[in-house]
Amino acid sequence: MVEVDDSKKMTLEFRPMDSVRWETLSLEISELESEQSLLDAMDKLVSDQQAATVGRSVIFRLSLFGRGPLHQSLIRPEFIEDARQNINEIWSQQFPFLW
């Protein structure tokens, strides 16, 4: 928002107008020991993102990084697809939604 007073002094104030945000979320996985701990960490990350959006929905890309015990799970295509579907099923039903 731009306001101009009588002396032509301008004041700028950012006011978000978006209804959906696009984000990239990152999760470090080297300390995670099990598939369930990964799913829990992903859920917490998405929950934290929802709290930070101030009522706006989010479409996000989730990047996993690090090396550790979960490598064998992550190279199985069905594990990644199941985790993605699980997150989307839970969070797409929330308000604001996350996908």
Side-chain angles (χ1 to χ4, degrees):
M1 183 169 84
V2 178
E3 290 184 14
V4 181
D5 65 16
D6 292 338
S7 65
K8 298 183 182 176
K9 178 182 173 191
M10 290 190 293
T11 305
L12 303 174
E13 178 184 342
F14 177 76
R15 292 199 179 173
M17 303 300 287
D18 57 340
S19 57
V20 176
R21 297 216 169 147
W22 299 79
E23 298 287 346
T24 299
L25 308 179
S26 297
L27 180 61
E28 209 282 321
I29 63 166
S30 62
E31 300 296 319
L32 301 176
E33 297 287 333
S34 68
E35 292 177 5
Q36 187 60 51
S37 64
L38 172 61
L39 296 173
D40 292 344
M42 290 168 61
D43 191 60
K44 180 172 181 346
L45 183 64
V46 174
S47 177
D48 291 348
Q49 180 63 42
Q50 184 187 45
T53 63
V54 191
R56 287 170 177 79
S57 294
V58 176
I59 298 174
F60 64 92
R61 175 181 301 243
L62 176 57
S63 297
L64 306 176
F65 66 96
R67 298 182 66 120
L70 292 172
H71 178 74
Q72 291 302 316
S73 295
L74 294 174
I75 62 173
R76 291 189 345 256
E78 67 274 3
F79 178 78
I80 295 295
E81 181 59 23
D82 289 347
R84 185 191 62 78
Q85 285 181 358
N86 181 51
I87 289 289
N88 285 340
E89 284 176 15
I90 293 168
W91 291 98
S92 67
Q93 304 302 315
Q94 306 291 318
F95 182 80
F97 76 85
L98 288 94
W99 182 265

